[in-house]
Amino acid sequence: MNHTSIQNALERNIIFLITVKSSVAYINSRSTLRQALESMRYHVYTALPVVADDGTYIGTVSEGDFLWHMLEEKKNTMREQENYLVSDIIRPGWNPAVRISTTLEELLLRVMNQNFVPVVDDRDKFVGIITRKSVISYYHELLEKETTSVTEASKIT
């Protein structure tokens, strides 16, 4: 891939990679821990975005957050988890969202460390996620196109 192709790709907006909110499993910040755990089990995810009633992205909770909470509170049953809210266990600053105007270059650095990156609009409203898989697939397609065009160009000369 030539330098110009790489630079153009990195400067591209991320909108085309977003899995929109209506297609994403997420948890309301007022959900009980039991509800959130059941949602994670149902969707078979290890982490889910947390969204407030007004659509604001609050953070992400992971299986580890639930585990640490249960260990610290010494409350291990699902019934006991009904007494706590997801907002009680959110780790501030973990898995921060990117703005919809973020470039691929910025996103690439973030997705290396996370399975998904939450995306928000200019009002901090959750609009969806971008998965590591979708970013890798995009770059794979880009490389395939570049390889094909180089191969075709070499046939002409």
Side-chain angles (χ1 to χ4, degrees):
M1 186 179 309
N2 66 42
H3 179 70
T4 305
S5 297
I6 293 171
Q7 195 58 39
N8 289 342
L10 291 175
E11 291 172 359
R12 190 167 179 192
N13 188 285
I14 63 172
I15 291 173
F16 70 100
L17 290 172
I18 295 175
T19 302
V20 295
K21 180 180 178 181
S22 60
S23 299
V24 172
Y26 61 92
I27 303 169
N28 183 286
S29 60
R30 292 187 307 116
S31 296
T32 66
L33 294 189
R34 179 181 181 153
Q35 291 169 322
L37 282 165
E38 288 172 347
S39 181
M40 288 180 86
R41 178 190 286 171
Y42 175 79
H43 293 288
V44 195
Y45 292 134
T46 59
L48 286 173
V50 178
V51 179
D53 287 335
D54 68 355
T56 303
Y57 173 72
I58 304 297
T60 297
V61 290
S62 70
E63 290 175 327
D65 296 323
F66 292 99
L67 177 62
W68 284 112
H69 167 77
M70 291 175 177
L71 289 171
E72 289 169 0
E73 296 296 322
K74 296 180 178 39
K75 309 252 188 225
N76 301 343
T77 68
M78 287 295 270
R79 183 175 258 350
E80 291 171 315
Q81 301 315 308
E82 293 173 2
N83 299 320
Y84 300 94
L85 300 179
V86 170
S87 57
D88 296 333
I89 66 168
I90 291 283
R91 286 182 285 156
W94 185 70
N95 202 16
V98 296
R99 296 235 180 258
I100 203 162
S101 57
T102 299
T103 64
L104 271 170
E105 183 173 19
E106 296 169 62
L107 179 68
L108 192 56
L109 296 172
R110 293 283 304 285
V111 82
M112 288 190 313
N113 299 317
Q114 301 164 193
N115 287 331
F116 70 88
V117 177
V119 182
V120 297
D121 64 16
D122 292 337
R123 300 171 301 136
D124 291 324
K125 304 302 181 198
F126 180 70
V127 295
I129 64 169
I130 297 177
T131 63
R132 182 184 298 154
K133 180 180 178 178
S134 67
V135 174
I136 292 170
S137 293
Y138 168 72
Y139 279 103
H140 179 263
E141 289 172 19
L142 205 58
L143 284 170
E144 291 228 331
K145 285 179 188 174
E146 187 68 27
T147 303
T148 302
S149 65
V150 168
T151 303
E152 289 174 1
S154 67
K155 288 180 183 177
I156 294 171
T157 56

